[in-house]
Amino acid sequence: MEVMLVVEDVASEHVLRRIVRHALPNAAVVGVNVGGGFGQIKARMGRYLNACNVFPHLVLTDLDTHRCATALMRDWGLPERLPERLIFRVAVREVEAWLMADRERIAEFLQVPLAKIPADIEAEIDPKRCLINLARRSRSKRFALEFCPAADSKASQGVLYNDHLIRFANEMWRVDVARNSAQSLDRALRRLEVWRQLN
């Protein structure tokens, strides 16, 4: 089985690769389109709808400010029924929430008390900001400096933010644990598990 991945950024790429290894262990990733945000993915959806006839496509985007995944798909002009070979999944509200849903491991990673990690991370309006604010309290000052933007910076994240998240996704994140606290992740995994049985 060969699949193509479509994601917003490099951190999302590694999260989706990790999910594929978990849910589709026999799949080979033949390529990745990193959109540079949701706008480019939205603009290219017609292309992906055609290209999925060649390779199955897994598309992952963030819900961000949309009310629900159905509203996002309507805003993007997508049909209610997508081709079987195009799996379109939406992280509520950002892919960071899926990582934070493994509360014990993210607390260990950030070096903060477990009690500080939200129990219902998908209820957070801005999971990425929540994650960075937690990292500011890390017992490791070096980690906080690398992960978080400087106080006088206009950047939204630290210089090694992606590097650290990628390491967490690949080395520490427990997908099966996280799915119990993130419904959108659980739905994505169940969709992939059904798709695997059919293919």
Coordinates of all heavy atoms in Angstrom, one line a residue, residues 3 17 50 63 75 127 148 161 163 194:
V3 N 0.9 5.6 -0.1 CA 0.0 6.7 0.2 C 0.8 8.0 0.1 O 2.0 8.0 0.3 CB -0.6 6.6 1.7 CG1 -1.5 5.4 1.8 CG2 0.5 6.6 2.7
R17 N 2.8 11.0 9.9 CA 3.7 9.8 9.6 C 3.6 8.8 10.8 O 3.5 7.6 10.6 CB 5.1 10.2 9.4 CG 5.5 10.8 8.1 CD 7.0 11.1 8.0 NE 7.3 11.7 6.7 CZ 7.7 11.0 5.6 NH1 7.7 9.7 5.7 NH2 8.0 11.6 4.5
N50 N -8.1 14.8 -7.9 CA -7.7 14.1 -9.1 C -6.5 13.1 -8.9 O -6.5 11.9 -9.4 CB -7.3 15.1 -10.2 CG -8.5 15.8 -10.7 OD1 -9.6 15.3 -10.8 ND2 -8.3 17.1 -11.1
L63 N -8.6 22.5 12.5 CA -9.9 23.1 12.5 C -9.8 24.6 12.7 O -10.6 25.4 12.1 CB -10.8 22.5 13.6 CG -12.2 23.0 13.8 CD1 -13.0 22.7 12.6 CD2 -12.8 22.4 15.1
D75 N -16.9 25.3 3.8 CA -16.2 26.6 3.5 C -15.1 26.3 2.4 O -14.9 27.2 1.5 CB -15.5 27.1 4.7 CG -14.6 28.3 4.5 OD1 -15.2 29.3 4.0 OD2 -13.4 28.3 4.7
P127 N -4.7 25.5 21.2 CA -3.8 24.5 21.8 C -2.3 24.8 21.7 O -1.5 24.6 22.6 CB -4.1 23.2 21.1 CG -5.5 23.4 20.6 CD -5.6 24.9 20.3
C148 N 10.0 28.3 23.2 CA 9.1 29.4 23.2 C 9.7 30.7 22.6 O 10.9 30.8 22.6 CB 8.8 29.8 24.7 SG 8.2 28.4 25.6
Y161 N 11.2 25.0 18.1 CA 9.9 24.5 18.4 C 9.6 23.2 17.6 O 9.2 22.2 18.1 CB 8.8 25.5 18.1 CG 7.4 25.1 18.3 CD1 6.8 25.2 19.5 CD2 6.6 24.7 17.2 CE1 5.4 24.9 19.7 CE2 5.3 24.3 17.3 CZ 4.7 24.4 18.6 OH 3.4 24.0 18.7
D163 N 11.6 21.2 15.9 CA 12.5 20.1 16.2 C 12.1 19.3 17.5 O 12.1 18.1 17.5 CB 13.9 20.7 16.4 CG 14.4 21.4 15.2 OD1 14.0 22.6 15.0 OD2 15.3 20.8 14.4
V194 N -10.6 1.3 9.3 CA -11.6 0.8 8.4 C -11.1 0.7 7.0 O -11.2 -0.3 6.2 CB -12.9 1.6 8.4 CG1 -13.9 1.2 7.3 CG2 -13.6 1.4 9.8

